[in-house]
Structure formats: C-alpha cells, structure tokens
Amino acid sequence: MGTQQILLIVLSVIIVGAAIGVGITMFNNQSYSSNKTAIAADAQSFATQVVQYYKTPASQGGGDRLVPTADATGAKTIASFIGWGDTATYKNDNGWYTLAVTTAGASGVVTITGAGREKNGTKVPKIETKIEFPEGKITATA
C-alpha cells in the first residue's frame, strides 16, 4: 500500500472515533436531561396528590383541610394516601423520592425530594417540590 492510502485509512479511523465519542456524549446528556424531566413530572404528580389528600374529607381517608403533622405519622399518612405504602420513601424506574412534613404555627410544608437514576459524570438529577398549606401552593426547584 502507498503512503497516501495508509494516511487516508488512519485519518478515517480518527474521524470515526471522534464521531463515536461525540455520539456517546450526546446520548449521555440526553439521558440525564430526560431523567431530570421524568422525576420533575413524577414530583409534580405526587404534589398534586398531596393537595388532593389535604382537600379530601376525613370520612374518605383525607386530611380534611387540616395542616399535616410534622412527624413520621403525618408523612406516612400522606405517603399511604398517594400510593407509596406505609413509608415516606418511594422508588420507581425514574428515581427515588422522599416525603417530609414541617409545620410552623397554622401553616405547614410538605416537601417531596426526587433523585434520578441517570448520572452525568458525578451529578445526579435532583428535584425538590414544596407544597405550602393552607394555600396549597406548589413550587419546584432543581
């Protein structure tokens, strides 16, 4: 083989290797972003269910418009209502979630924290959603 042909083969291998590297990086970034969006959607859905719990009468298993108690029982009661079972933690294909309740006087805050399964280097997508009572205001931060 001539020198020119060997040079073209080496150049082709370098270009294909660089294209594969860029493709892998783009896939990983998209996977991380998709996972972050998925846990944000899950947290929003759980927050809506918490507001539903707050507005549901006690005779139907709800919170009867009472501010949730800031103890393990309050968190477990809400978690049970939204389908998490008897613990304030939950996991699904998108990530892991925890539920915590804090109160201050006549108001309270339910916080749902979600951590994704995908990684971008050492970073894991995280979402924190807060529901403030008695207003029922939902805010989410990444």
Side-chain angles (χ1 to χ4, degrees), residues 43-130:
Q44 183 69 31
S45 174
F46 296 143
T48 304
Q49 292 175 30
V50 169
V51 172
Q52 180 182 0
Y53 165 80
Y54 174 74
K55 293 181 177 182
T56 302
S59 61
Q60 296 176 352
D64 206 22
R65 293 192 180 270
L66 297 173
V67 173
T69 58
D71 58 9
T73 305
K76 286 181 181 182
T77 302
I78 295 171
S80 177
F81 183 86
I82 65 175
W84 289 13
D86 63 349
T87 65
T89 60
Y90 180 74
K91 72 176 182 176
N92 63 14
D93 291 340
N94 298 325
W96 296 270
Y97 305 90
T98 58
L99 188 142
V101 180
T102 56
T103 57
S107 62
V109 176
V110 175
T111 304
I112 298 172
T113 306
R117 293 182 180 264
E118 294 295 326
K119 290 184 179 179
N120 189 359
T122 59
K123 287 178 27 179
V124 174
K126 291 185 180 179
I127 297 290
E128 184 177 271
T129 303
K130 292 185 178 187

Side-chain angles (χ1 to χ4, degrees), residues 5-28:
Q5 292 170 329
I6 292 175
L7 184 60
L8 286 173
I9 290 172
V10 169
L11 186 60
S12 298
V13 168
I14 291 171
I15 291 172
V16 168
I20 290 172
V22 168
I24 289 171
T25 301
M26 288 176 60
F27 177 79
N28 286 341

